Structure formats: structure tokens, C-alpha cells
Amino acid sequence: MPIPAELETAVAALADVPHLLVALDFDGTLAPFVPRPEDARPLPGSAAALAALARGSDGASADDVADDAAGAATGSAARPRRTTTALLSGRHLSSLRATATPPEATWLVGSHGAERYSPAAGEEPLTLTEEQAAELDRTTGALRSVAERFPGARLEHKPSGVVLHVRQCSEEDGAAALEAGRTALVGLDVKVTEGKAVLEAAVVRVDKGLGLAWLREGTGADATVFVGDDVTDEHGFAVLAAGDVGVKVGEGATAAGYRLESLDDVTEFLELLRSMRDL
Ligand SMILES: O=P(O)(O)OC[C@H]1O[C@H](O[C@H]2O[C@H](CO)[C@@H](O)[C@H](O)[C@H]2O)[C@H](O)[C@@H](O)[C@@H]1O
């Protein structure tokens, strides 16, 4: 499907923004859904466009980023044009790196905002309190006992939580496993997030809105593009402001201003953005 005319217009308006942040969800946006999370890979065209966009932020040192943030705050002119790329994912960082193989200059936010990496400062350590670690153990035990009852169900472990995956279950077993998972989590001190064929319980209470706010503040960007497909991405769309561009991929209610139908459309959109930014 061609890119909607109003989205093309919005992208054209981003051409001369001094510092543009392009933040992208991974699964369902850059990478098609597959049965096993470790097998997901970005569409080649999207990976190529992301690599080209990332070249727009090459060489940004911590000082550059601080100067840029200061320049944006004071409105001072004559800042060089920069495009910073970021992945904002529910995946934990090591899984995101292994599957997305992001360009070096790309900022990374994993585990829905709990894990954060910037090219200049590296990875922010995520340390659980004793209580959180104990709650994570209890939560893992509760969801493990659910996964064991349903053929095809499996667990994914993150530093901040645990995920019950049901994509490989029959439709009936998947629905029953998710319901059993919800019940098993009652009374545990966790944030429960439902995604596409997953139920996640995290002991760190964050969301993609907080992750996107961290990216905007850290990069000092003047405007943000955020593309995502899932209900968890709605927290990101909700913090976008005037001049930003939010794009929802696929069907479903959304706070995003624009919509694309498919992952191939995302490739086309990123390619358009790349050419508008002369990268
Ligand atoms: O925020 P995202 O980058 O979209 O990550 C969301 C979740 O993605 C992964 O699960 C989803 O993709 C899998 C691979 O295609 C699929 O098998 C699963 O059914 C999907 O829910 C990842 O495994 C989760 O940890 C992420 O939270």
C-alpha cells in the first residue's frame, strides 16, 4: 500500500529538523512475527534504511550530545543537522542485540524501558532489590507451572521479568494458558503486560512512554518519529508532542497520528525518511 499522503507531508516537514530522533519498535514493526523469539530478524530493506539513518548520528560523542541538548534548550541556531536512531523494544537488551543486530550508533531501550543503552555512555546497570529478585523468583515459578500444563507454551526470561509465550500452542490451549497465567499472577507484586500471544510480568514498573522520554531527553532531539505495532507501543505514542510523528503499524485503536498497514510499508516509510534526511 502506498504511504498515505498526510504521512508523506508529515515526513517532508521533518526534512530540516536540526536533530531528529527515529525510534522504532522491533517485533511486528521491523521484524515479522515468528514462532520462536530468537528466530526473528528485521526485513532486509528496513535494516538497510535503519543503517543509513544511523549514519546521520555517527561520531556523536557524549559532549556532542550534551551540547546538542543544551542548544535545543536555549534555541541557539547553527547546530549541525543530526539524525539519531533508537530501538524501543519489549525485548531484553541481549535478545534485542542478537536478533536486530542494530547499527553501532543506535540507542537501545529494552524490557519496555527497564534497560537502557546509549552509544556514548554504554549500558545503564539494572539492579533489582532483594524484594524484587524474590518476587521475580516467585513469579517465574508461578508462570512455569502454567507453561508446563499447556503443550507449546514456553517462558522467556528477562532481567526485569518473565514472559509466558503461547504462539506455538493451539488456539484453545493458548487462550487457556493466558487465562491460567493471569490467574497465577494474582497477588504477586508485578506489572502485568499483555502483548501479541504473550503475557509478561515485570518487577520493574516501566513502560515505553518512560523509555521514549529517556531517549528524547538523552539525545536532545528537536522532534521524534516513533513507529510501533503493539498495545505496549501506545505508551510511547501517548508522550509524543506537536511536531512529532507517531505511526501505528496494522489494525487496532491507537493514539498515533498515522497508520501503515504492513511491515513492507514500514520499509518504504523508513526509506522515505532516509531520503528526506539526505542520508
Ligand atoms: O516491543 P517489541 O520489540 O515489539 O517486543 C515485544 C515482544 O516481542 C517478542 O515477542 C513477540 O515476537 C516473537 C517473535 O516474533 C513472537 O514469537 C511472540 O509471539 C511475540 O509476542 C519478545 O519475545 C518479547 O519479549 C517482547 O516483549
Side-chain angles (χ1 to χ4, degrees):
M1 182 195 128
I3 295 187
E6 63 273 19
L7 181 52
E8 274 199 38
T9 306
V11 171
L14 297 173
D16 293 321
V17 166
H19 186 174
L20 180 67
L21 169 64
V22 180
L24 305 167
D25 167 60
F26 182 65
D27 294 278
T29 296
L30 296 180
F33 288 113
V34 290
R36 298 179 346 136
E38 60 272 34
D39 294 336
R41 294 292 179 273
L43 290 183
S46 288
L50 176 64
L53 286 163
R55 284 198 286 276
S57 59
D58 264 0
S61 67
D63 286 348
D64 288 337
V65 171
D67 289 350
D68 204 11
T74 60
S76 66
R79 289 186 295 137
R81 195 164 70 163
R82 174 180 297 174
T83 305
T84 296
T85 50
L87 295 182
L88 176 52
S89 175
R91 281 181 183 259
H92 58 102
L93 281 189
S94 57
S95 158
L96 183 61
R97 286 198 181 95
T99 51
T101 50
E104 224 174 282
T106 299
W107 293 52
L108 302 175
V109 175
S111 299
H112 303 285
E115 295 182 279
R116 297 161 177 194
Y117 163 85
S118 74
E123 202 167 314
E124 286 185 2
L126 171 66
T127 312
L128 301 186
T129 63
E130 267 181 41
E131 290 75 20
Q132 285 173 323
E135 199 65 354
L136 183 53
D137 282 348
R138 279 190 286 274
T139 305
T140 302
L143 288 186
R144 183 179 295 120
S145 63
V146 172
E148 284 167 357
R149 288 167 41 207
F150 296 93
R154 59 178 282 194
L155 296 188
E156 178 189 3
H157 302 278
K158 303 184 182 183
S160 57
V162 57
V163 186
L164 175 67
H165 281 267
V166 302
R167 190 171 289 271
Q168 295 188 78
C169 296
S170 67
E171 203 177 320
E172 197 182 331
D173 277 348
L178 291 176
E179 190 50 39
R182 287 180 202 110
T183 304
L185 294 175
V186 171
L188 290 166
D189 187 15
V190 288
K191 176 177 163 67
V192 179
T193 303
E194 304 230 8
K196 294 187 172 169
V198 289
L199 178 71
E200 177 161 351
V203 296
V204 180
R205 290 170 194 278
V206 289
D207 60 44
K208 288 193 177 185
L210 293 168
L212 193 53
W214 177 79
L215 285 169
R216 292 159 66 124
E217 193 182 327
T219 59
D222 302 291
T224 299
V225 173
F226 177 50
V227 188
D229 72 300
D230 208 344
V231 284
T232 56
D233 298 312
E234 292 301 319
H235 294 288
F237 296 134
V239 301
L240 294 178
D244 295 336
V245 172
V247 183
K248 160 89 175 172
V249 183
E251 293 175 352
T254 186
Y258 305 90
R259 194 185 294 268
L260 290 171
E261 274 184 10
S262 70
L263 279 74
D264 286 324
D265 293 343
V266 174
T267 302
E268 206 178 313
F269 170 74
L270 294 176
E271 181 54 31
L272 176 68
L273 203 50
R274 180 205 64 72
S275 77
M276 284 292 178
R277 297 293 287 176
D278 282 333
L279 290 165

